[in-house]
Amino acid sequence: GLSESTAWKSHTMVSTIVLQPGDTVAFKKGSQFTGPIQIAQSGNEDHPIVFASYGEGERPRFTNPNDLDMNGNCFRISGSWIVVEGLYFHDTPPTQNVNRLNSIFRLGAIFNMSGANHNTIRNNVFMKCTKAIQSTGEYTLITHNYLDGPNHALWNGPGSGGGWGPMGMQLGIGNQEVCYNTIKNYLTTDSDYGSDGGAIELDDGRYHKDYFYIHHNYTEGNA
């Protein structure tokens, strides 16, 4: 895993090693990966841990179609001082469990967990992800990403209709900055609430909602 000639064949190997401040995990361009990885280690202010790409061609692609496997997350981040940049996430599912704490507030192609602070999510593409980013970590920067949403509801469980529209981002705590992103088409009419969905939603009653900086974003076609 330390050179192109000895690269791992599975991205889930990342979850089996102890990353150190200053490490970079690079995924080969043109590759496609299915299933989640958990990022538990932390960098520091001067030496973050970076998740990026190498080689030529299209961005490496990540999906997780199974809501029962880490809530459909592609990246689940519990460490701090992490940078995720230049990657492509697509087609993450709605949830079958309408419980907010166990499912809705954990849903997202990238789930930046409570206590995962000082992280940066930048220059990524999210296509047809039911929720692209769930961030409940403070001092998070989400910038220069492109999000194009699906037209289905956030949940669709047995015995219940579709509820809530899809979300570009859900921010669960304050002290976060969201800037220079493009967020489009997070809207469904297949919802108990009629037309629903949104570019950015602030929600999670467990945490404070002070000091959001949301500026210079472009949104189009969201409910």
Side-chain angles (χ1 to χ4, degrees), residues 14-116:
V14 175
S15 300
T16 70
I17 63 168
V18 177
L19 296 168
Q20 303 293 334
D23 281 350
T24 294
V25 178
F27 302 94
K28 187 176 182 179
K29 289 184 177 180
S31 297
Q32 299 189 41
F33 304 101
T34 300
I37 61 173
Q38 182 146 2
I39 302 164
Q41 288 82 38
S42 296
N44 58 44
E45 183 173 7
D46 295 324
H47 302 95
I49 298 172
V50 177
F51 292 81
S53 62
Y54 73 94
E56 302 293 332
E58 296 184 348
R59 297 166 185 253
R61 294 180 172 230
F62 298 84
T63 191
N64 181 6
N66 185 357
D67 173 52
L68 299 179
D69 189 1
M70 285 196 193
N71 303 100
N73 303 151
C74 298
F75 282 22
R76 175 172 287 190
I77 305 172
S78 56
S80 297
W81 299 107
I82 303 294
V83 176
V84 179
E85 62 182 356
L87 306 179
Y88 185 109
F89 301 89
H90 66 98
D91 297 294
T92 54
T95 181
Q96 303 298 310
N97 178 1
V98 301
N99 182 283
R100 289 193 185 193
L101 301 186
N102 291 333
S103 186
I104 292 175
F105 289 163
R106 294 172 175 265
L107 195 67
I110 294 180
F111 176 23
N112 193 52
M113 301 178 71
S114 175

Side-chain angles (χ1 to χ4, degrees), residues 92-223:
T92 54
T95 181
Q96 303 298 310
N97 178 1
V98 301
N99 182 283
R100 289 193 185 193
L101 301 186
N102 291 333
S103 186
I104 292 175
F105 289 163
R106 294 172 175 265
L107 195 67
I110 294 180
F111 176 23
N112 193 52
M113 301 178 71
S114 175
N117 301 329
H118 299 283
N119 292 335
T120 299
I121 301 168
R122 67 185 177 212
N123 191 32
N124 301 286
V125 174
F126 299 84
M127 295 295 293
K128 303 299 183 284
C129 296
T130 303
K131 187 195 295 181
I133 300 169
Q134 168 76 44
S135 182
T136 316
E138 294 189 86
Y139 311 106
T140 301
L141 173 62
I142 302 172
T143 187
H144 288 96
N145 299 283
Y146 180 89
L147 293 70
D148 196 331
N151 61 3
H152 57 251
L154 190 76
W155 74 71
N156 187 17
S160 68
W164 292 13
M167 298 179 191
M169 305 178 195
Q170 189 170 57
L171 309 179
I173 197 168
N175 286 321
Q176 300 196 65
E177 182 173 6
V178 177
C179 57
Y180 301 103
N181 301 283
T182 296
I183 310 168
K184 301 171 67 173
N185 302 320
Y186 277 85
L187 180 151
T188 185
T189 56
D190 185 20
S191 167
D192 290 346
Y193 306 101
S195 177
D196 199 32
I200 302 168
E201 181 159 336
L202 315 182
D203 190 9
D204 191 334
R206 296 173 293 176
Y207 307 109
H208 76 87
K209 299 297 180 295
D210 302 319
Y211 306 111
F212 286 106
Y213 303 91
I214 300 174
H215 60 93
H216 293 91
N217 300 284
Y218 177 83
T219 72
E220 176 185 308
N222 307 289

